[in-house]
Short mmCIF file of all heavy atoms in Angstrom, two decimals:
data_model
loop_
_atom_site.label_atom_id
_atom_site.label_comp_id
_atom_site.label_asym_id
_atom_site.label_seq_id
_atom_site.Cartn_x
_atom_site.Cartn_y
_atom_site.Cartn_z
N GLY A 1616 9.85 -45.53 117.42
CA GLY A 1616 8.88 -44.59 117.98
C GLY A 1616 8.11 -43.81 116.95
O GLY A 1616 7.40 -42.86 117.29
N GLN A 1617 8.19 -44.22 115.67
CA GLN A 1617 7.66 -43.40 114.58
C GLN A 1617 6.16 -43.51 114.37
O GLN A 1617 5.58 -42.72 113.63
CB GLN A 1617 8.37 -43.77 113.26
CG GLN A 1617 7.96 -45.12 112.66
CD GLN A 1617 8.77 -46.28 113.18
OE1 GLN A 1617 9.49 -46.15 114.16
NE2 GLN A 1617 8.67 -47.41 112.52
N ASP A 1618 5.50 -44.48 115.02
CA ASP A 1618 4.10 -44.75 114.69
C ASP A 1618 3.12 -44.39 115.80
O ASP A 1618 2.00 -44.91 115.83
CB ASP A 1618 3.93 -46.23 114.32
CG ASP A 1618 4.47 -46.54 112.94
OD1 ASP A 1618 4.32 -45.70 112.05
OD2 ASP A 1618 5.06 -47.63 112.76
N LEU A 1619 3.48 -43.50 116.69
CA LEU A 1619 2.56 -43.12 117.77
C LEU A 1619 1.32 -42.44 117.21
O LEU A 1619 0.20 -42.67 117.68
CB LEU A 1619 3.27 -42.21 118.77
CG LEU A 1619 2.54 -41.94 120.07
CD1 LEU A 1619 2.27 -43.23 120.82
CD2 LEU A 1619 3.34 -40.99 120.95
N GLY A 1620 1.49 -41.58 116.20
CA GLY A 1620 0.33 -40.92 115.59
C GLY A 1620 -0.58 -41.92 114.90
O GLY A 1620 -1.81 -41.82 114.98
N ARG A 1621 0.00 -42.88 114.20
CA ARG A 1621 -0.80 -43.91 113.54
C ARG A 1621 -1.54 -44.75 114.59
O ARG A 1621 -2.69 -45.18 114.37
CB ARG A 1621 0.08 -44.79 112.67
CG ARG A 1621 0.66 -44.10 111.44
CD ARG A 1621 1.41 -45.10 110.56
NE ARG A 1621 1.92 -44.49 109.35
CZ ARG A 1621 3.20 -44.37 109.05
NH1 ARG A 1621 4.13 -44.80 109.90
NH2 ARG A 1621 3.59 -43.82 107.91
N LEU A 1622 -0.90 -45.03 115.71
CA LEU A 1622 -1.55 -45.79 116.77
C LEU A 1622 -2.77 -45.04 117.30
O LEU A 1622 -3.84 -45.65 117.51
CB LEU A 1622 -0.57 -46.07 117.91
CG LEU A 1622 -1.15 -46.71 119.16
CD1 LEU A 1622 -1.70 -48.10 118.85
CD2 LEU A 1622 -0.12 -46.78 120.28
N ALA A 1623 -2.63 -43.75 117.53
CA ALA A 1623 -3.76 -42.96 118.01
C ALA A 1623 -4.94 -43.03 117.04
O ALA A 1623 -6.10 -43.18 117.45
CB ALA A 1623 -3.33 -41.51 118.22
N HIS A 1624 -4.65 -42.93 115.75
CA HIS A 1624 -5.71 -43.01 114.74
C HIS A 1624 -6.36 -44.39 114.75
O HIS A 1624 -7.60 -44.51 114.67
CB HIS A 1624 -5.10 -42.72 113.37
CG HIS A 1624 -6.10 -42.73 112.25
ND1 HIS A 1624 -6.98 -41.70 112.04
CD2 HIS A 1624 -6.35 -43.67 111.29
CE1 HIS A 1624 -7.74 -41.99 110.99
NE2 HIS A 1624 -7.38 -43.18 110.51
N ARG A 1625 -5.59 -45.46 114.89
CA ARG A 1625 -6.13 -46.81 114.90
C ARG A 1625 -7.02 -47.03 116.12
O ARG A 1625 -8.09 -47.64 116.02
CB ARG A 1625 -4.98 -47.82 114.89
CG ARG A 1625 -5.41 -49.29 114.90
CD ARG A 1625 -6.07 -49.69 113.59
NE ARG A 1625 -5.19 -49.43 112.48
CZ ARG A 1625 -4.24 -50.26 112.05
NH1 ARG A 1625 -4.03 -51.42 112.68
NH2 ARG A 1625 -3.50 -49.95 111.00
N LEU A 1626 -6.58 -46.55 117.27
CA LEU A 1626 -7.37 -46.74 118.48
C LEU A 1626 -8.70 -46.00 118.40
O LEU A 1626 -9.73 -46.51 118.85
CB LEU A 1626 -6.57 -46.27 119.70
CG LEU A 1626 -5.34 -47.09 120.05
CD1 LEU A 1626 -4.58 -46.44 121.21
CD2 LEU A 1626 -5.71 -48.53 120.39
N ARG A 1627 -8.69 -44.81 117.82
CA ARG A 1627 -9.94 -44.06 117.69
C ARG A 1627 -10.90 -44.75 116.72
O ARG A 1627 -12.12 -44.77 116.95
CB ARG A 1627 -9.65 -42.63 117.19
CG ARG A 1627 -9.05 -41.72 118.24
CD ARG A 1627 -9.10 -40.26 117.78
NE ARG A 1627 -8.39 -40.05 116.52
CZ ARG A 1627 -7.11 -39.72 116.45
NH1 ARG A 1627 -6.39 -39.57 117.57
NH2 ARG A 1627 -6.52 -39.54 115.28
#
Side-chain angles (χ1 to χ4, degrees):
Q1617 74 272 13
D1618 285 323
L1619 191 59
R1621 291 186 178 116
L1622 173 63
H1624 182 76
R1625 179 69 56 84
L1626 293 175
R1627 286 194 301 269

